[in-house]
Amino acid sequence: MKTIFINDIIQMMLPHMNNAQCEALQEVLQHVLFQYDLVKHKDCCAEERDYLALFLSAKRIEGCSEKSLKYYESTIQKLLGTLGKSVKQIVTDDIRKYLTKYQEENKSSKVTIDNIRRFLSSFFSWLEDEDYILKSPVRRIHKVKTGVSVKEIYSDEMLEFLRDSCTELRDLAMIDMLASTGMRVGEMVLLNRNDIDFNERECIVFGKGNKERIVYFDARTKIHLQNYLESRSDINPALFVSLKEPCNRLSINGIETRLRKLGKNLGLQRVHPHKFRRTLATMAIDKGMPIEQLQQLLGHRKIDTTLQYAMVRQSNVKIAHRKYIG
């Protein structure tokens, strides 16, 4: 109890004293309080405040998705449960030791550890902004350096193989929709039949944070979509439904499972809906599409995210070198 009491005082005096003065004050407090017993006085308003619940409410108001909110909650709860400290008692070394131990025990990648750091930073920065704590303990923990790996995309041949392997009109329309629009699979499962504008070859999707944007599809996708919809006899408004009765709306997991099965039949590894999105981004960059327009098409808030998706082909780098340099 004495240690917590002293640390609280030191934390409050940090903005007004240098390191030497803080150390001197700490020694004085330890000496003076040695002969006293401290009893914690419970302040209901302060002690029972649920900081995490307040933080999640703030993020929800900002438009954070429920999926992200759950990740925030689980990440922060793990930290608080492991440390067993009040948020006011957590210091930078606590966070560093926690991240190090977490990586060792879970064999986590640097990307995972940096994601945890980002979520914790957001939480403690919010506490600081709201004056619940004086200074975020994550402020001095810098971004974890991660290696840049070239992620795979679908080649033109692979896309044709996938299309040729389809025995259902739905699967063919589904593949073309992902390949030509670059939409997220979570956006596609929410689409209804009347969301599709066949004349303009476009549709409105709701992305992250419930932000709506227009995406576009090509002529081939239009034909395959029309053929698929004309073949259906159900009354479900969903654009993509299960093949068997009662023809329920396809879920994200349902689409992922179907694509994996199509890939397995062809001997292809890692056939995943998100790979179509990355493929479109890379092809668009290769063909000269301005990055700002691609950002709008993909629905990215930050252009840095778009650049991570768009992997420039090495062959194009070689051509550009010969064109501009020699």
Side-chain angles (χ1 to χ4, degrees):
M1 180 60 69
K2 291 179 183 178
T3 301
I4 295 175
F5 180 73
I6 292 172
N7 286 342
D8 278 344
I9 295 176
I10 297 299
Q11 285 287 327
M12 293 176 69
M13 294 302 295
L14 276 176
H16 312 289
M17 304 172 65
N18 58 35
N19 290 339
Q21 291 170 329
C22 285
E23 289 177 2
L25 175 60
Q26 187 174 19
E27 290 178 2
V28 170
L29 288 171
Q30 289 173 341
H31 176 73
V32 171
L33 295 175
F34 176 76
Q35 56 187 326
Y36 294 97
D37 291 326
L38 300 180
V39 179
K40 186 177 182 180
H41 173 68
K42 293 185 178 179
D43 181 348
C44 294
C45 293
E47 294 297 325
E48 295 180 7
R49 184 180 289 114
D50 188 347
Y51 294 113
L52 179 54
L54 290 172
F55 169 71
L56 294 175
S57 296
K59 299 301 288 186
R60 184 175 282 108
I61 292 172
E62 292 173 9
C64 196
S65 69
E66 289 301 317
K67 183 178 180 180
S68 294
L69 288 172
K70 288 180 180 178
Y71 190 75
Y72 270 116
E73 185 175 17
S74 63
T75 301
I76 296 165
Q77 282 181 339
K78 285 179 183 177
L79 172 79
L80 299 178
T82 301
L83 296 183
K85 289 185 174 182
S86 157
V87 292
K88 294 182 179 180
Q89 303 301 323
I90 296 174
V91 296
T92 302
D93 281 345
D94 292 329
I95 306 292
R96 286 199 180 107
K97 290 176 181 176
Y98 172 78
L99 292 175
T100 301
K101 186 177 180 181
Y102 187 98
Q103 186 175 30
E104 291 174 351
E105 291 181 349
N106 297 279
K107 309 298 180 184
S108 303
S109 67
K110 291 182 179 180
V111 174
T112 299
I113 296 303
D114 193 58
N115 285 337
I116 295 173
R117 180 200 62 81
R118 287 191 303 104
F119 276 73
L120 294 178
S121 178
S122 179
F123 174 59
F124 283 101
S125 294
W126 178 84
L127 289 173
E128 180 182 337
D129 292 339
E130 295 293 322
D131 294 327
Y132 293 128
I133 61 175
L134 287 173
K135 185 178 179 181
S136 167
V138 192
R139 184 182 292 183
R140 287 184 289 145
I141 301 178
H142 303 297
K143 185 180 186 301
V144 179
K145 293 183 180 180
T146 57
V148 179
S149 59
V150 178
K151 296 182 179 179
E152 293 180 355
I153 62 172
Y154 295 118
S155 64
D156 292 337
E157 293 81 2
M158 192 179 295
L159 287 174
E160 289 304 319
F161 283 143
L162 284 170
R163 290 187 180 102
D164 291 342
S165 69
C166 293
T167 57
E168 300 290 344
L169 292 174
R170 183 203 64 180
D171 296 343
L172 184 58
M174 199 164 62
I175 286 174
D176 277 332
M177 197 66 170
L178 288 168
S180 65
T181 64
M183 67 172 67
R184 301 177 180 94
V185 65
E187 296 167 345
M188 191 171 75
V189 297
L190 296 176
L191 285 173
N192 291 324
R193 302 192 210 197
N194 58 11
D195 291 329
I196 307 299
D197 185 339
F198 285 106
N199 290 328
E200 297 296 328
R201 297 209 309 258
E202 65 183 35
C203 60
I204 295 176
V205 298
F206 289 89
K208 291 184 177 180
N210 289 325
K211 296 177 183 177
E212 66 175 44
R213 73 180 192 284
I214 300 175
V215 297
Y216 309 92
F217 50 89
D218 56 23
R220 172 163 52 182
T221 303
K222 173 182 176 179
I223 294 172
H224 291 159
L225 266 177
Q226 288 176 328
N227 291 339
Y228 162 60
L229 292 176
E230 288 172 3
S231 71
R232 283 173 56 180
S233 58
D234 64 274
I235 59 173
N236 194 319
L239 181 61
F240 292 107
V241 296
S242 58
L243 298 173
K244 297 180 180 180
E245 295 289 346
C247 297
N248 294 321
R249 181 187 295 271
L250 272 182
S251 64
I252 293 176
N253 184 60
I255 292 177
E256 290 175 343
T257 302
R258 188 64 175 177
L259 289 176
R260 278 198 301 269
K261 185 176 180 180
L262 289 173
K264 186 178 180 180
N265 293 338
L266 292 170
L268 300 176
Q269 299 295 323
R270 299 177 184 174
V271 176
H272 190 272
H274 202 74
K275 203 169 178 179
F276 290 96
R277 185 169 165 85
R278 192 181 305 119
T279 300
L280 178 134
T282 302
M283 290 176 137
I285 289 292
D286 284 348
K287 293 179 179 179
M289 186 177 190
I291 192 69
E292 296 83 3
Q293 293 179 13
L294 180 59
Q295 177 188 8
Q296 180 70 22
L297 184 66
L298 296 178
H300 289 153
R301 187 168 60 88
K302 295 182 179 180
I303 202 165
D304 289 349
T305 308
T306 310
L307 289 170
Q308 291 176 7
Y309 276 72
M311 308 302 293
V312 179
R313 298 178 196 265
Q314 189 62 37
S315 59
N316 286 355
V317 176
K318 183 178 181 180
I319 293 171
H321 180 274
R322 288 179 178 176
K323 179 179 178 181
Y324 296 107
I325 300 174

